[in-house]
């Protein structure tokens, strides 16, 4: 079965503003995110990408644009099911305010029981994304062969949930996974089991340096802004 390259969108204006964007319209890449997107074709040089699939949200569409321009022969598709989590009433709110919501403790420690007010549950988010990947795996294998490589550009929580699915981890453990903006995660699917072969690879170790402020111990909902 194919190898899936998962790219998280580049850093967005919501990331730097500390907002939980969700499906809020008009959330674009910021200056650094635009630079990250511009570097993506070079990072993927040598990979024979058969198909490019992206979330419908603007920040993902902008992330893959330089890659599509560099590889105009590669078919491109939009897939609703790998769009960001539907955060409902939380969409567009500041993460600093949301941390005091009682539900945030559930999102962090017991996400399989978390459902966003006016939005979807985290279980539903993972299920739709995993179903999309399995259907695309079958389609890519049918059209391009079992050794094909294809790319999906999606969002932090979606990618983390797909990694958990690939590793056989319960969704309650997915907050232990971190993927930075424009990072590359690769999963090689086989008939019996997937293999995680890259996780959150940015080629940049800056995020490992000590921070001025001590980390809170909570996972950044939506994925976070990455290294400063």
């Amino acid at each position: 079965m194919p190898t899936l390259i998962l790219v998280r969108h580049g850093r967005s204006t919501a990331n730097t503003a500390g907002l939980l964007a969700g499906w809020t319209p008009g959330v674009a890449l910021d200056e650094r995110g635009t630079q990250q997107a511009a570097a993506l074709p070079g990072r993927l040089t040598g990979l024979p990408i058969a198909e490019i699939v992206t979330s419908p949200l603007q920040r993902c569409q902008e992330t893959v644009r330089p890659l599509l321009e560099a590889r105009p022969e590669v078919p491109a598709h939009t897939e609703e099911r790998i769009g960001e989590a539907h955060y409902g009433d939380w969409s567009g709110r500041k993460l600093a305010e949301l941390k005091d919501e009682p539900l945030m403790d559930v999102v962090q420690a017991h996400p399989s029981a978390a459902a966003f007010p006016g939005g979807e549950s985290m279980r539903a988010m993972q299920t739709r994304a995993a179903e999309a990947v399995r259907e695309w795996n079958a389609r890519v294998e049918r059209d391009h062969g079992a050794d094909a490589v294809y790319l999906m550009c999606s969002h932090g929580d979606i990618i983390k949930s797909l990694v958990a699915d690939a590793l056989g981890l319960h969704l309650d453990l997915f907050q232990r996974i971190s993927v930075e903006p424009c990072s590359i995660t690769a999963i090689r699917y086989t008939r019996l089991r997937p293999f995680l072969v890259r996780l959150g690879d940015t080629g940049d170790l800056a995020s490992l340096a000590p921070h001025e402020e001590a980390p809170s111990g909570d996972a950044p909902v939506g994925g976070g802004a990455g290294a400063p």
Side-chain angles (χ1 to χ4, degrees):
M1 296 180 70
T3 296
L4 170 59
I5 307 297
L6 287 161
V7 177
R8 185 182 167 203
H9 62 78
R11 196 174 74 176
S12 73
T13 53
N15 292 146
T16 47
L19 300 176
L20 187 62
W23 286 70
T24 304
V27 176
L29 298 183
D30 68 5
E31 183 178 358
R32 181 172 178 184
T34 301
Q35 294 170 350
Q36 291 170 332
L40 191 58
R43 294 170 63 197
L44 295 170
T45 296
L47 282 180
I49 298 172
E51 307 265 357
I52 294 173
V53 185
T54 185
S55 156
L57 295 174
Q58 179 178 340
R59 52 200 183 273
C60 286
Q61 300 280 334
E62 290 179 349
T63 298
V64 299
R65 189 171 299 152
L67 181 61
L68 293 173
E69 291 172 353
R71 303 198 190 193
E73 75 286 357
V74 178
H77 314 271
T78 297
E79 172 58 75
E80 291 270 342
R81 291 173 295 176
I82 62 167
E84 180 61 286
H86 291 278
Y87 296 118
D89 298 343
W90 281 22
S91 298
R93 292 183 60 188
K94 285 190 172 292
L95 288 163
E97 298 171 356
L98 290 171
K99 68 180 178 61
D100 295 325
E101 294 277 355
L103 177 61
M104 185 60 84
D105 291 336
V106 183
V107 169
Q108 292 292 335
H110 191 16
S112 66
F116 297 100
E120 70 180 335
S121 69
M122 301 197 89
R123 297 187 314 280
M125 174 199 75
Q126 183 186 45
T127 297
R128 63 172 164 86
E131 287 178 349
V133 165
R134 280 162 176 75
E135 289 179 21
W136 277 100
N137 282 349
R139 176 174 173 172
V140 170
E141 181 173 5
R142 179 197 68 204
D143 293 344
H144 303 281
D147 294 328
V149 176
Y150 74 108
L151 181 144
M152 283 185 167
C153 183
S154 187
H155 306 266
D157 281 349
I158 296 289
I159 293 172
K160 288 163 56 178
S161 74
L162 290 171
V163 170
D165 174 76
L167 292 176
L169 293 177
H170 196 283
L171 184 61
D172 285 347
L173 300 179
F174 100 125
Q175 296 289 30
R176 302 183 183 193
I177 299 165
S178 176
V179 289
E180 292 199 4
C182 225
S183 63
I184 292 174
T185 294
I187 301 170
R188 180 172 296 124
Y189 289 88
T190 73
R191 186 174 65 87
L192 296 180
R193 63 183 64 84
F195 293 89
L196 179 66
V197 292
R198 291 289 188 281
L199 176 61
D201 187 350
T202 63
D204 179 2
L205 301 181
S207 64
L208 301 181
H211 297 282
E212 292 183 5
E213 296 181 5
S216 68
D218 288 336
V221 179

